[in-house]
């Protein structure tokens, strides 16, 4: 397994800019080779800046977006029109401005019971890849201050799931369900990219990258590309505790 590749920028905006450039470059190279590009998106507040930048004229004109298939690394178990929905956030920030066709967007059906929603999403992913091994071209990831990524939270059973699939996760402290790709599915990607910024994430970044292995407390340590590359796009405050 290759070592993580660090990209440290002075500010959060510059980190987002560098990741946007990486996204476009990776997509164009992949489309040139295979004809299509598949990406699993992350939710939350950090990547919203990235999606808005990709939808801006400077970046949107650089890619044939009709050749991009969009998936979600995780989703909150809320109605599709709920403000907390990852899909709704991306719809407003990226899909609508770019007029992405519905056939290119694969969302979790949260109107189903959690386990059924996870199974249906696994099947949708498998159908997209047909007989091929499921390997996303790019998976975008964030990092919580508790070292979670996607919806791989500390002390949850999904951390030990070895299937290449999507699972429902119940978070007892919050009394909510999440739907998440498992670490083995994420790790098959050709490229993995974390976007993390802010001083509040510095301890978590250091624990994941340099700390002793402790999956239960630092689930993002599970992200180790099987054959691809893991990139970390950080601002200086998020990288401030790293001893590199």
């Amino acid at each position: 397994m290759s070592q993580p590749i660090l990209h440290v920028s002075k500010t959060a905006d510059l980190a987002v800019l560098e990741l946007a450039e990486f996204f476009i470059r990776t997509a164009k190279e992949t489309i040139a080779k295979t004809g299509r590009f598949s990406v699993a998106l992350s939710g939350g507040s950090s990547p919203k800046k990235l999606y808005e930048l990709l939808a801006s004229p400077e970046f949107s004109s650089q890619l044939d977006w009709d050749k991009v298939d969009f998936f979600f690394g995780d989703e909150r178990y809320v109605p599709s029109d709920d403000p907390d929905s990852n899909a709704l956030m991306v719809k407003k920030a990226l899909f609508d401005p770019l007029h992405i066709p519905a056939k290119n967007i694969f969302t979790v059906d949260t109107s189903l019971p959690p386990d059924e929603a996870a199974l249906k999403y696994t099947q949708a992913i498998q159908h997209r890849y047909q007989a091929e091994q499921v390997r996303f071209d790019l998976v975008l990831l964030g990092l919580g201050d508790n070292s979670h990524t996607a919806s791989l939270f500390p002390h949850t059973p999904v951390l030990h799931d070895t299937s290449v699939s999507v699972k429902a996760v119940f978070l007892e402290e919050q009394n909510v369900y999440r739907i998440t790709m498992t670490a083995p599915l994420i790790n098959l990607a050709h490229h993995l990219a974390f976007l993390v910024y802010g001083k509040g994430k510095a301890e978590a970044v250091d624990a994941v990258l340099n700390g002793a292995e402790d999956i239960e407390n630092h689930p993002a340590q599970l992200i180790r590309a099987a054959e691809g590359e893991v990139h970390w796009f950080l601002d200086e405050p998020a990288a401030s505790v790293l001893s590199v």
Side-chain angles (χ1 to χ4, degrees), residues 23-149:
F23 182 107
I24 295 293
R25 184 169 64 250
T26 303
K28 289 171 77 169
E29 289 172 356
T30 303
I31 290 169
K33 288 178 186 175
T34 69
R36 295 200 71 78
F37 177 69
S38 63
V39 56
L41 304 174
S42 56
S45 56
S46 295
K48 185 179 179 183
K49 285 186 176 184
L50 171 66
Y51 305 144
E52 290 171 340
L53 185 58
L54 289 172
S56 70
E58 179 187 357
F59 283 91
S60 63
S61 60
Q62 296 186 44
L63 195 62
D64 183 352
W65 294 96
D66 194 48
K67 294 179 178 177
V68 181
D69 293 319
F70 296 93
F71 296 82
F72 287 83
D74 72 319
E75 181 56 278
R76 295 172 171 134
Y77 187 66
V78 295
S80 59
D81 60 353
D82 189 289
D84 286 337
S85 165
N86 288 341
L88 181 62
M89 180 272 286
V90 180
K91 181 178 186 294
K92 292 178 177 179
L94 185 68
F95 297 158
D96 285 353
L98 293 181
H99 306 290
I100 302 296
K103 65 181 176 62
N104 292 22
I105 302 169
F106 298 80
T107 58
V108 178
D109 184 354
T110 54
S111 69
L112 299 171
D115 287 333
E116 188 177 346
L119 176 60
K120 291 287 187 185
Y121 204 53
T122 301
Q123 292 170 342
I125 293 168
Q126 291 169 340
H127 181 73
R128 156 65 172 77
Y129 282 88
Q130 302 288 334
E132 301 173 56
Q133 184 181 43
V134 177
R135 291 191 69 189
F136 292 101
D137 295 309
L138 174 63
V139 175
L140 298 175
L141 297 162
L143 184 72
D145 53 16
N146 63 353
S147 298
H148 86 269
T149 191

Side-chain angles (χ1 to χ4, degrees), residues 32 51 62 65 82 93 106 123 140-141 143 152 163 177-178 190 197 214 224-225 234 239 241:
Y51 305 144
Q62 296 186 44
W65 294 96
D82 189 289
F106 298 80
Q123 292 170 342
L140 298 175
L141 297 162
L143 184 72
L152 304 174
S163 66
Y177 277 97
R178 296 283 190 98
H190 292 284
Y197 52 80
D214 182 1
R224 306 162 180 152
L234 309 166
V241 182

Side-chain angles (χ1 to χ4, degrees), residues 133-137 139 163-165 182-192 224-228:
Q133 184 181 43
V134 177
R135 291 191 69 189
F136 292 101
D137 295 309
V139 175
S163 66
V164 176
S165 67
T182 62
L185 173 54
I186 293 169
N187 286 339
L188 285 173
H190 292 284
H191 304 277
L192 294 148
R224 306 162 180 152
E227 297 176 23

